[in-house]
DNA sequence: TTGTACGCGTTATCAA
DNA sequence: TTGATAACGCGTACAA
C-alpha cells in the first residue's frame, strides 16, 4: 500500500507507465505488458482489470520505449508539403493503409523553410522502417542519395521512372490526359490547346499523352507553356496568353486543376463562357474541381489509392529485405463534369 | 579490431548508434555522446573525429531513446487537418518557432477517418510535452476533457474563450471584420451584405464585428446565412441566394476567403462584375486570395504569427507548471486588393 | 580528458 | 498463469 501510494502520487506528475498500472493492481509489470498486448499468459480476469486500470489512469503506451526494445521498427515516415493541394489527400490514404498492416505513421513536413534533408533527418531519428516521399521537388540523384544514405526503403510518390534505388508510385499521367483528349475530340473539338506546366514534376508524361493522342487523331498540337509554377497563377498566365490571340481555341486542357481554375478565372472575367465558348479540363480531381461553381471535367488520380500503394510498396520492401524496388502505376479515370461540351460550330 | 569489425558489420543492417561510432574510433560510447552534444569533456580532436565518423556512418540520434532517458520531454505535438486551407500555413509557422525554443515537432493528422481522439492518443504515445490543436471541430467540453485526461498543456488554435483548462490562440475576428466593414463604408457602400457561415468555428465574433460596425455607422444590417459547411460550396450557395433577389447589394462580405471565392464564381458566371457591380471581401488572406485572377480584398490572420504564438503558449505552460492558460489574440490586418471599389452610384 | 554505472519504459526470454 | 532478469540507445552522475 505504501509503495502503491507513492506510485500513484508520482504518476500524477508524469504520464502513467505500465509500472504504475502494475503497482496499482499489485501485479508485475510484465503481466501488464502481456495483458495489454492481448498476448497469451494473462488470465481473463487479469486482462480485464488491467484494461480498466489503464483507462482509469489514462495510460498510453510509450511509442519510443516500445520501438527501442523491439528489434524491428513498425513506423512509416512520410514527408509531405502541407500547403500543396493533392498531397494531403494522399496522406489521408496512408493512415488507414498503414494501420491495416500494423504500422505507425510519422509525418514530417517539407516547407519553404524546412528542407527535405531536415525532414529526412527527423524521420531517421524516429527510426522509421521506411520513408514515403510525396510530391518532392527532388530529382533522381537526390532521391537516390537519400535512399542510399538512410539505409531504409524509400518510396517516391508522384513521379519517377523504375529504378533500383527506390520505389515509385505514380498516376498514369499519359493515359489520363489521353482520356481527356479523346473525350474532347469525341465532343467534336479540333483546336485543342494544352497548357503545359513544365515546373510540375509529372509534367512530361501528361504532355506526352496530349501530343500522342492528338497525333493519333490526326489533329494539330497547340501547346501553351507557362514560365514558372504550377498553380492558379500559372493557369492565369496561360489564360492571358490565350486571350491575346486573334481567336480562342474551342477547348483548353490544363496540366492540373489549379491551373485550370486559373484559366477559368481569367476567361470568365473577360466574358468568355465555359463551356459554351470554350471547353476546359483539369487534372487531379481536387476539391476545387468538384465545387458547383467550378464544376470542372478532370482526371481522377485517386489519392487514397496512391497512399495505399505507397504503404504497400514500403511494407513489402521492409518485410522482404532483398525485394527489388517496384513502380506502381495507378490508372486514372476521367471525371466528366460541366466544363466540357460540344463546340458551337458542331452544334449548328 | 575484431570487435570493431563486428560492430561495423552489424551496423550495416541497422541504423548506426553511438556505440558503432565509438567502436569505429576505439573510444567509449559516452565520449561520443559528449562530443556530439557539444558538451565540455571531449577534446577538440575527439570532437572532430566523432563528427566525421558520424557523418560517414550516417548516424542520426535516436529520438525515442533520447526522450526515454531525459526526464523532460521537448516535443510539441500538433494536431491538424491536412485538407484544410489555413492550417498548413500555421503548421509551417510552428516548425521554426519550436526549433528556436529547442523543441521537436510531431504531427498527427485529424482526417474524416481518423478522429481527434486517435490523434491525441498517438501524440501522448510520443510523450509530447504539450499539444497544439489547430482548427478542430471540437467544442469546449471536448477540448477541456482532452486537456484534463492528457495531463499535458493543450493549446487550441482558431477559436475559443479564455478558460482555465487550455490556452487559446485566436485571430481577432471581430476587429478584422470591423476593418473590412469600415473600408467598404469609406468607399461609399451602404447596402453591405454579410455572408455568415455558422458552421465555421470562429463564425460568431466575425458576425459580431459586422453587426456592431454597421450599427455604429448607422447602416442597416443584411445577413445571408448558409446552411452548412464553410468552403467554396457555402459561398456558392450564398451567391445563388443573392442572385435570386430583385436587386443586388453593392458590397458583399464573406466570412472567409473560400466562401468569397464561391460567391465570386457564381456572380461572375452570371455576368456580375467584381468590383464594378459588386465589391467583395473575404477573410484569411489565403493563397487563393492573392491570385491575380481572384485578387480579393481580405483580412490577414498571419498564420505564421499564430503558429509562433501557439508554440510560445505551449512552451510557457510546459516550463512553468503553475502558469495559468492564456488567450492570445493576434491582431489581423486589412489587405486591400482589387475586389473592392466605390459603388457606381457614388462614382457619378 | 576519459571511462563506469545506472536508469528511462518497454518487450523478450526464461524459469517458477 | 506469473515473475525475475536482461536488453534496446541514450544521457548523466561520478570516479579515474
Amino acid at each position: 500500500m505504501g509503495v502503491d501510494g507513492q506510485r500513484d502520487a508520482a504518476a500524477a506528475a508524469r504520464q502513467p507507465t505500465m509500472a504504475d498500472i502494475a503497482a496499482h493492481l499489485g501485479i508485475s509489470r510484465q503481466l501488464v505488458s502481456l495483458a495489454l498486448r492481448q498476448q497469451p499468459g494473462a488470465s481473463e480476469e487479469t486482462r480485464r482489470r488491467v484494461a480498466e486500470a489503464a483507462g482509469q489512469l489514462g495510460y498510453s503506451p510509450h511509442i519510443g520505449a516500445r520501438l527501442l526494445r523491439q528489434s524491428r521498427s513498425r513506423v512509416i515516415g512520410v514527408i509531405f508539403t502541407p500547403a500543396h493541394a493533392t498531397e494531403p489527400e494522399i496522406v489521408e490514404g496512408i493512415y488507414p493503409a498503414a494501420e491495416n498492416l500494423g504500422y505507425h505513421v510519422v509525418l514530417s513536413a517539407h516547407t519553404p523553410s524546412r528542407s527535405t534533408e531536415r525532414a529526412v533527418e527527423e524521420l531517421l531519428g524516429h527510426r522509421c522502417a521506411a520513408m514515403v516521399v510525396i510530391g518532392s521537388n527532388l530529382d533522381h540523384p537526390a532521391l537516390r542519395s537519400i535512399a542510399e544514405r538512410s539505409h531504409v526503403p524509400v518510396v517516391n510518390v508522384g513521379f519517377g521512372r523504375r529504378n533500383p534505388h527506390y520505389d515509385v508510385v505514380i498516376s498514369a499521367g499519359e493515359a489520363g490526359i489521353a482520356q481527356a483528349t479523346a473525350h474532347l475530340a469525341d465532343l467534336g473539338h479540333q483546336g485543342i490547346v494544352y497548357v503545359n506546366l513544365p515546373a510540375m514534376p509529372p509534367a512530361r508524361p501528361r504532355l506526352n499523352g496530349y501530343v500522342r493522342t492528338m497525333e493519333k487523331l490526326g489533329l494539330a498540337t497547340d501547346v501553351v507553356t507557362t514560365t514558372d509554377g504550377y498553380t492558379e497563377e500559372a493557369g492565369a498566365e496561360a489564360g492571358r496568353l490565350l486571350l491575346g490571340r486573334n481567336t480562342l481555341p474551342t477547348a483548353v486542357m490544363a496540366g492540373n486543376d489549379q491551373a485550370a481554375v486559373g484559366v477559368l478565372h481569367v476567361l470568365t472575367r473577360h466574358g468568355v463562357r465555359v463551356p459554351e465558348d470554350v471547353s476546359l479540363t483539369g487534372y487531379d480531381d481536387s476539391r476545387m474541381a468538384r465545387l458547383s461553381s467550378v464544376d470542372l471535367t478532370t482526371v481522377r488520380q485517386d489519392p487514397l489509392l496512391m497512399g495505399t500503394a505507397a504503404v504497400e510498396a514500403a511494407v513489402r520492401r521492409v518485410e522482404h529485405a532483398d525485394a527489388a524496388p517496384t513502380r506502381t502505376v495507378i490508372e486514372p479515370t476521367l471525371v466528366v463534369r460541366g466544363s466540357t461540351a460540344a463546340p458551337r460550330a458542331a452544334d449548328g
Side-chain angles (χ1 to χ4, degrees), chain A residues 19 40 46 90 129 133 140 147 166 180 258 326:
Chain A
T46 304
I90 299 179
V133 183
H140 173 68
Y166 52 89
Q258 298 184 70
T326 59

Side-chain angles (χ1 to χ4, degrees), chain A residues 196-200 225-238:
Chain A
N196 184 32
L197 312 162
M200 177 178 69
T225 300
T226 59
T227 50
D228 64 8
Y230 45 96
T231 60
E232 286 101 329
E233 202 48 60
E237 180 195 350

Side-chain angles (χ1 to χ4, degrees), chain A residues 18 37 59 61-71 104:
Chain A
M18 286 188 179
R37 281 179 296 144
Y59 169 80
H62 192 311
I63 297 179
R66 173 176 293 173
L67 181 71
L68 186 60
R69 180 60 185 105
Q70 284 174 332
S71 46
H104 264 274

Side-chain angles (χ1 to χ4, degrees), chain A residues 139-280:
Chain A
D139 55 7
H140 173 68
L143 284 165
R144 173 180 173 170
S145 150
I146 287 176
E148 285 174 344
R149 281 185 299 123
S150 58
H151 295 127
V152 300
V154 171
V155 180
N156 187 45
V157 178
F159 66 96
R161 311 174 57 146
R162 185 186 199 109
N163 71 82
H165 308 288
Y166 52 89
D167 288 80
V168 172
V169 172
I170 195 177
S171 173
E174 181 159 345
I177 287 287
Q179 286 184 57
T181 312
H183 163 67
L184 289 171
D186 281 352
L187 287 172
H189 291 275
Q190 304 206 325
I192 305 175
V193 165
Y194 181 73
V195 176
N196 184 32
L197 312 162
M200 177 178 69
R204 181 52 64 93
R206 296 189 191 173
L207 177 60
N208 288 347
Y210 165 78
V211 171
R212 292 193 189 158
T213 309
M214 290 296 273
E215 285 172 351
K216 197 176 297 173
L217 294 169
L219 298 175
T221 60
D222 185 353
V223 176
V224 170
T225 300
T226 59
T227 50
D228 64 8
Y230 45 96
T231 60
E232 286 101 329
E233 202 48 60
E237 180 195 350
R240 286 189 289 269
L241 287 173
L242 290 172
L243 286 171
R245 293 183 173 188
N246 287 333
T247 59
L248 281 175
T250 67
V252 176
M253 303 178 59
N256 67 25
D257 282 353
Q258 298 184 70
V261 169
V263 172
L264 179 66
H265 279 141
V266 168
L267 293 187
T268 54
R269 281 214 159 198
H270 284 76
V272 179
R273 291 167 304 163
V274 173
E276 291 83 354
D277 301 324
V278 173
S279 284
L280 179 66

